[in-house]
Amino acid sequence: MSTADTQRALRRRNLSRVLRVVAAAGTVSRAGVAARIGLTRAGVAPLVDELLRVGLLVEAGRAAPSGRGRPGSELAVSDRGPAGIGAEIGVDHLAVCAVDLRGRVRARAAAGAANRHSAPGPVLHRLSALLGQVAAEIADEGLRPAGLTVAVPGLVARGSATVVHAPNLGWRAADLAPGLTAALTGRPDGRAADHAPLPLAVDNEANLGALAELRLGGDAGGPLPPADFVHVSAEVGIGAAVVVDGQLLRGARGFAGELGHVPVYPDGRPCDCGGRGCLEQYAGEAAVLRAGGLTPQQAAAHPGPGARIALLARRAADGDAATVGALHEAGAALGIALAGAVNLLDPRTVVLGGALARLAPWVLPSLERELALRTAVAPAAAEPGGCPVTVSRLGADGPLLGAAHDALRTVFDNPVPSCAPAHSPQG
């Protein structure tokens, strides 16, 4: 790499650090930025000026006096300009939302959709209507899409937009990139109005739920979760994501976290994956509905996102014995599966997200009991050796919010693209 390339790479990194510091702080002075990233005020000044020039930062009024000299002005990230677009493809719903650089949801649209065993093309066509609706709403507020990240309930090949297998959708080897880029931009090449290609990513919904937990989770107004945790997410199926030192553990092919197909009873019920006794056959939505005495016809009478989970929660809250027993069995199966993950990985905590968050009052007791019995460390409820189980406050919104925040990653990584290092043919 040439000296010029090195300088551009360093400047890009420092611009990224400044933008991230201001976004995390809400409002902060130039001196505060300099202190946080370890540069002098003189070194920070041109970086701030550049981010102000391109509209990613704005002046937010006078800073409070902190000593001698004239107080400077506070900085904040702009509430106009780039927005991250997140989308979620569920078995029975579609959803899209947009977040600005401040992390605020600026537009949202959702619809029930019978996506099971529907080919990707028709699903993406339905999704395009929601993408168009959200894009139009944010355009009226001075925002533009900076990229799109889509959450799917299946295995996604690492570094690609190819869904290798999504059993609850019935998809195999489905490349979503052409349909998604056309849906987002109205152009088959995925280029925006200014002719710059828009970044596109597809990821497993549990992974994106974990990313949302990292950035937005924890108690409202309280600290964020620790940097090492296992995030369990459920819709129709069950997935998990492993976070180690603040980073997703993806595995060699990107398939890490397939908790739903961990065998909990090796000689148990046959599973669609070809195995027997998989967790999904005891704690998945269909299994719990069946064990709770609900026929397929009764379940089908409650379509739409989260409707069947809401039905289970109502029945359990009303004291229906069959439903409470089914959730108890689901919690025990989850505890057995998670014990293996805890023994292997030693996370600081397990986070229940997605639909499981709503069912936690009835799932947690048996889950925690099995986890305490089967982990090699101290009982789950005991610190410092154990692994407590917490419930995500994001609930079913986690994957969608995680997708939208992930779509802003390229803006934070490279705020001013002209500062990106040039790549020589030899490089």
Side-chain angles (χ1 to χ4, degrees):
M1 182 181 288
S2 70
T3 301
D5 284 344
T6 301
Q7 291 174 341
R8 281 194 290 267
L10 179 62
R11 182 172 176 80
R12 179 180 64 171
R13 185 170 73 89
N14 285 334
L15 285 164
S16 173
R17 294 169 69 198
V18 171
L19 185 62
R20 290 181 188 277
V21 162
V22 178
T27 58
V28 61
S29 67
R30 288 166 172 78
V33 172
R36 284 168 170 82
I37 67 174
L39 294 176
T40 65
R41 290 184 66 174
V44 162
L47 300 172
V48 169
D49 289 344
E50 180 72 357
L51 293 171
L52 287 167
R53 183 186 68 79
V54 298
L56 297 179
L57 294 185
V58 294
E59 304 276 9
R62 287 287 178 190
S66 57
R68 292 163 52 182
R70 184 180 177 183
S73 60
E74 295 273 287
L75 300 167
V77 292
S78 176
D79 61 356
R80 300 170 72 85
I85 309 297
E88 183 178 15
I89 298 174
V91 173
D92 56 9
H93 75 282
L94 297 168
V96 176
C97 79
V99 299
D100 62 20
L101 291 175
R102 299 182 182 183
R104 298 183 303 175
V105 175
R106 301 291 292 272
R108 180 168 182 158
N115 296 326
R116 188 191 293 271
H117 302 308
S118 178
V123 173
L124 298 183
H125 180 73
R126 292 190 287 269
L127 185 65
S128 67
L130 299 182
L131 286 167
Q133 179 181 332
V134 167
E137 287 185 35
I138 64 172
D140 289 341
E141 299 184 31
L143 291 160
R144 54 179 171 76
L148 170 66
T149 297
V150 182
V152 296
L155 300 176
V156 180
R158 189 168 185 169
S160 81
T162 298
V163 179
V164 176
H165 189 205
N168 290 313
L169 292 174
W171 293 359
R172 280 188 180 273
D175 182 6
L176 306 189
L180 286 173
T181 52
L184 179 61
T185 64
R187 294 171 52 116
D189 60 3
R191 291 181 178 271
D194 60 0
H195 306 297
L198 287 168
L200 169 70
V202 179
D203 207 343
N204 174 266
E205 56 91 18
N207 285 344
L208 292 168
L211 290 177
E213 200 65 31
L214 268 175
R215 295 165 183 161
L216 308 169
D219 296 329
L224 293 175
D228 298 87
F229 63 93
V230 175
H231 180 270
V232 186
S233 181
E235 191 204 7
V236 173
I238 296 174
V242 179
V243 176
V244 179
D245 196 23
Q247 301 293 321
L248 277 173
L249 180 66
R250 293 187 175 274
R253 294 169 295 171
F255 300 164
E258 274 298 285
L259 189 71
H261 295 287
V262 169
V264 292
Y265 303 115
D267 297 322
R269 302 167 188 160
C271 182
D272 292 342
C273 74
R276 298 189 70 91
C278 294
L279 173 62
E280 211 163 275
Q281 296 303 312
Y282 298 88
E285 182 187 271
V288 176
L289 289 167
R290 182 174 61 247
L294 288 161
T295 67
Q297 292 76 18
Q298 288 173 310
H302 295 80
R308 291 183 292 277
I309 296 300
L311 173 64
L312 287 169
R314 286 196 302 271
R315 287 169 66 96
D318 290 340
D320 180 77
T323 302
V324 172
L327 293 174
H328 173 89
E329 182 181 11
L334 274 164
I336 294 170
L338 284 168
V342 169
N343 284 327
L344 183 65
L345 299 167
D346 187 28
R348 292 286 298 172
T349 187
V350 170
V351 181
L352 294 187
L356 289 172
R358 186 161 189 177
L359 300 174
W362 304 280
V363 168
L364 270 179
S366 55
L367 187 164
E368 290 176 328
R369 183 163 54 251
E370 291 292 341
L371 193 58
L373 286 171
R374 297 172 185 273
T375 48
V377 295
E383 285 287 358
C387 181
V389 182
T390 61
V391 180
S392 172
R393 69 182 181 88
L394 304 177
D397 283 343
L400 181 62
L401 293 174
H405 281 266
D406 181 74
L408 282 173
R409 178 168 35 89
T410 54
V411 177
F412 283 102
D413 287 348
N414 186 16
V416 184
S418 62
C419 294
H423 296 283
S424 66
Q426 293 79 17

